[in-house]
């Protein structure tokens, strides 16, 4: 009876672990999802750890889906997720749709430079269209809560998209909220 109970408990533990892991991974891109991002961000903010947070949006994604089909759009998202993982490791998140987020412990200038280099790398894709991203970067160094971190990165992303394609903007206090 004890062995059976042990095996049942072990099986339940492993099943729970797998389900929890699946619930935090985006099914298409295999990077962490927004649920995992929210939990990780809350942990970092509560521990007052400084980090750079980037929100990214794929340029012309609707056009890619409309002109080349949703399968091609999915391949673009997978490609971008893979390139982001190579450059930023495991702290890459699919925020939703064609949006990604990154948490990095590097200096914001390094993060910005990496994103610019990613855009150069994405250009070399042998496709009939241009695949690039816009990004907003905010470096959290003070006692900001999660909402402020998201708002400031989002504000910088919005400004980047207003300036054109393949832009990276770092949030500065001069950007009006």
């Amino acid at each position: 009876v004890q062995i059976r109970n042990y095996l049942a408990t072990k099986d339940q533990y492993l099943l729970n672990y797998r389900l929890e892991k699946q619930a935090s991974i985006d099914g298409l891109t295999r990077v962490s999802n927004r649920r995992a991002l929210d939990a990780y961000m809350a942990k970092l903010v509560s521990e007052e750890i400084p980090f750079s947070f980037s929100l990214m949006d794929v340029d012309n994604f609707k056009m890619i889906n409309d002109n080349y089909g949703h399968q091609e759009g999915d391949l673009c998202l997978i490609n971008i997720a893979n390139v982001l993982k190579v450059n930023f490791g495991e702290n890459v998140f699919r925020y939703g749709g064609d949006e990604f987020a990154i948490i990095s412990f590097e200096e914001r200038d390094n993060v910005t430079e990496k994103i610019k280099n990613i855009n150069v790398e994405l250009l070399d894709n042998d496709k009939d269209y241009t695949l690039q991203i816009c990004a907003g970067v905010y470096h959290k160094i003070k006692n900001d809560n999660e909402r402020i971190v998201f708002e400031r990165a989002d504000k910088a992303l919005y400004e980047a998209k207003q300036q054109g394609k393949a832009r990276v903007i770092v949030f500065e206090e001069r950007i009006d909220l």
Side-chain angles (χ1 to χ4, degrees):
V1 171
Q2 288 179 329
I3 291 173
R4 186 173 26 147
N5 287 344
Y6 168 77
L7 292 174
T9 303
K10 179 183 167 199
D11 289 344
Q12 186 63 45
Y13 173 79
L14 291 173
L15 178 62
N16 288 344
Y17 175 79
R18 279 185 289 213
L19 289 173
E20 189 173 308
K21 191 79 170 156
Q22 284 178 343
S24 64
I25 300 293
D26 178 64
L28 176 66
T29 62
R30 308 307 300 160
V31 297
S32 297
N33 61 21
R34 184 168 178 179
R35 178 179 178 262
L37 172 63
D38 291 343
Y40 190 46
M41 174 89 67
K43 178 181 184 284
L44 293 175
V45 167
S46 72
E47 294 175 3
E48 298 182 12
I49 297 172
F51 59 91
S52 289
F53 179 68
S54 306
L55 279 177
M56 296 169 217
D57 186 80
V58 180
D59 294 336
N60 301 318
F61 188 70
K62 182 176 177 357
M63 182 277 304
I64 294 169
N65 266 342
D66 290 349
N67 294 340
Y68 299 94
H70 290 277
Q71 259 188 323
E72 186 66 24
D74 287 351
L75 291 174
C76 290
L77 295 174
I78 292 166
N79 183 25
I80 289 170
N82 289 337
V83 170
L84 291 173
K85 279 174 47 177
V86 165
N87 285 276
F88 289 101
E90 293 301 313
N91 290 333
V92 176
F93 305 84
R94 184 167 177 206
Y95 188 68
D98 66 332
E99 295 177 320
F100 290 88
I102 290 173
I103 292 176
S104 176
F105 302 100
E106 299 178 60
E107 293 297 320
R108 82 174 177 198
D109 292 343
N110 292 349
V111 172
T112 303
E113 196 59 35
K114 277 186 174 183
I115 295 169
K116 289 177 182 176
N117 291 336
I118 286 169
N119 271 328
V120 172
E121 187 176 340
L122 289 172
L123 277 176
D124 186 27
N125 66 6
D126 296 326
K127 301 287 184 183
D128 295 335
Y129 54 83
T130 302
L131 181 61
Q132 293 192 291
I133 55 177
C134 274
V137 179
Y138 176 63
H139 189 72
K140 181 211 171 294
I141 54 175
K142 46 189 172 179
N143 295 331
D144 298 327
N145 62 36
E146 298 98 302
R147 183 186 54 80
I148 290 172
V149 172
F150 274 99
E151 282 178 1
R152 291 183 173 175
D154 192 47
K155 183 72 174 175
L157 173 60
Y158 179 79
E159 186 172 309
K161 290 178 4 181
Q162 292 299 308
Q163 290 185 15
K165 307 295 181 196
R167 302 277 189 225
V168 181
I169 298 291
V170 175
F171 178 88
E172 301 290 344
E173 292 298 327
R174 64 173 177 68
I175 297 176
D176 295 326
L177 287 174

